[in-house]
Amino acid sequence: MKVGFVGLGIMGRPMAKNVVKAGYEVTVFDFNQEAIDDLVAHGAKAADSGKAAAEEADVVITMLPNSPNVEAALFAENGIAEGLRPGATVIDMSSIAPKASQAFAERLAKQEVTFLDAPVSGGEPKAIDGTIAVMLGGNQEVFNRYEELLNTMASTVTRVGEVGAGNITKLANQMIVAINIAAISEAYSLAKKANVDPEAVYQAIRSGLAGSTVMDQKSNKIFSGDFEPGFRIELHIKDMQNVLETSHAVNVATPFSSLAMDIMQSLKAHGLEKKDHSAIANFYELMNDMKLQG
Ligand code: NAD
């Protein structure tokens, strides 16, 4: 099986390396030549366009920021679609708008190319370890064909429905994470202002009902004030934009998501959009004129 891989950023670079390591023939493309060179040093072949990365491929994996980037990579001049053969498949692992996934699938079907949306959770450390969680939408038989390939990058791959369902699942994940970070920040603010050590509160409640993976992964960042990413606020704003557009399109009220989005917009207004999303705690510090550290 020959694989094309387009998008070698924080996530795509280690993911592509894991596919190479598993023995697949992988041809890579990114706007960033240094990322291509790094993959070539690990055994991949270089391409000078999406089209060239797709020409020999049975399957092309994309890992790009958002819907417009995926659209450009697929359909712009010299893009992936120009190189794809009938019978090939595109697996888009970016977190994008579910409606965009469905539109791309329809456009590619016209040239007899199948499409899976397969966004991921886990961040850079799990991308490096090959232990990301994949939530996948698309045809079961197409999924079966590529399950082994996906397992070179992931510890779990869960098919959740047809095309678009993968990104709906990712949006659900992002809603829960953003609201959860806001909830723990709010609770720690109460503790601090009431003269109870927030770290003691964390230790006391982490194994009870309020405990969560978010609490375990983000509390120490909040207590140390180390907000280096991680997952950048600007990427989470992109996801919440997709949450709100999608929730309005299906006529569902998502008030806590709206609030989490406004909190992150406020942090962006303070120039903090490149910080980790655990910097949501900063919003509470600014609002309450306090520090959670120390
Ligand atoms: P990134 O910005 O680090 O990487 C994106 C890469 O795509 C860059 O190298 C860029 O040069 C390349 N690119 C953009 N447009 C291109 C095009 N048309 N052709 C070729 N290359 C192009 O982003 P990332 O952090 O790797 O995230 C990728 C996706 O994964 C996003 O949708 C993000 O929301 C999602 N995600 C990220 C994380 C994380 O922790 N970073 C975790 C889970 C999911």
Side-chain angles (χ1 to χ4, degrees):
M1 189 183 288
K2 292 186 178 174
V3 180
F5 205 116
V6 176
L8 306 169
I10 291 179
M11 297 294 287
R13 191 190 296 216
M15 287 161 63
K17 283 181 187 170
N18 283 327
V19 179
V20 172
K21 215 188 295 170
Y24 290 88
E25 189 178 320
V26 184
T27 305
V28 298
F29 176 64
D30 193 290
F31 292 147
N32 176 1
Q33 187 61 42
E34 186 269 325
I36 295 180
D37 294 343
D38 184 23
L39 255 295
V40 168
H42 283 78
K45 282 199 206 171
D48 58 8
S49 65
K51 179 183 176 186
E55 268 164 350
E56 303 267 303
D58 302 295
V59 53
V60 176
I61 296 170
T62 47
M63 191 54 169
L64 303 159
N66 199 8
S67 319
N69 311 97
V70 178
E71 180 166 24
L74 288 173
F75 300 113
E77 202 182 331
N78 275 322
I80 294 162
E82 282 183 25
L84 289 166
R85 291 171 286 151
T89 299
V90 171
I91 305 179
D92 179 34
M93 302 188 76
S94 328
S95 306
I96 68 168
K99 262 186 174 294
S101 299
Q102 290 164 343
F104 301 153
E106 277 172 32
R107 276 174 85 174
L108 290 169
K110 290 185 187 137
Q111 59 182 92
E112 291 172 51
V113 167
T114 48
F115 181 92
L116 302 171
D117 66 317
V120 314
S121 170
E124 189 184 18
K126 286 180 181 268
I128 293 169
D129 291 353
T131 58
I132 49 177
V134 176
M135 40 218 100
L136 182 136
N139 178 278
Q140 179 75 55
E141 279 168 29
V142 179
F143 168 43
N144 292 346
R145 224 182 296 155
Y146 299 111
E147 192 171 5
E148 205 176 307
L149 168 66
L150 289 163
N151 279 328
T152 66
M153 296 174 271
S155 58
T156 61
V157 184
T158 308
R159 181 180 174 270
V160 284
E162 299 302 327
V163 171
N167 273 302
I168 292 284
T169 307
K170 177 67 185 179
L171 294 183
N173 183 81
Q174 296 304 82
M175 295 162 87
I176 292 166
V177 171
I179 295 166
N180 211 334
I181 297 174
I184 61 174
S185 302
E186 192 163 309
Y188 294 154
S189 300
L190 168 75
K192 182 80 184 200
K193 281 270 185 174
N195 297 320
V196 178
D197 178 7
E199 279 195 71
V201 170
Y202 164 57
Q203 291 302 339
I205 67 175
R206 60 181 293 260
S207 53
L209 189 56
S212 67
T213 308
V214 169
M215 184 182 272
D216 281 335
Q217 288 193 7
K218 300 300 177 184
S219 290
N220 284 332
K221 286 182 93 63
I222 292 170
F223 300 144
S224 68
D226 170 16
F227 295 126
E228 286 316 299
F231 188 74
R232 295 191 302 277
I233 284 174
E234 63 187 358
L235 277 179
H236 214 141
I237 286 177
K238 175 265 298 183
D239 290 331
M240 295 314 279
Q241 185 69 38
N242 288 332
V243 165
L244 297 178
E245 277 173 24
T246 305
S247 65
H248 295 161
V250 299
N251 197 21
V252 63
T254 50
F256 287 109
S257 295
S258 299
L259 201 53
M261 174 63 141
D262 273 346
I263 289 173
M264 288 192 280
Q265 291 288 0
S266 160
L267 292 168
K268 185 177 175 191
H270 283 86
L272 297 170
E273 70 271 22
K274 305 278 182 210
K275 298 292 181 194
D276 187 71
H277 53 174
S278 53
I280 284 173
N282 267 175
F283 175 82
Y284 285 89
E285 294 179 324
L286 289 163
M287 190 167 60
N288 294 309
D289 192 22
M290 62 179 282
K291 281 277 166 209
L292 283 165
Q293 301 88 47

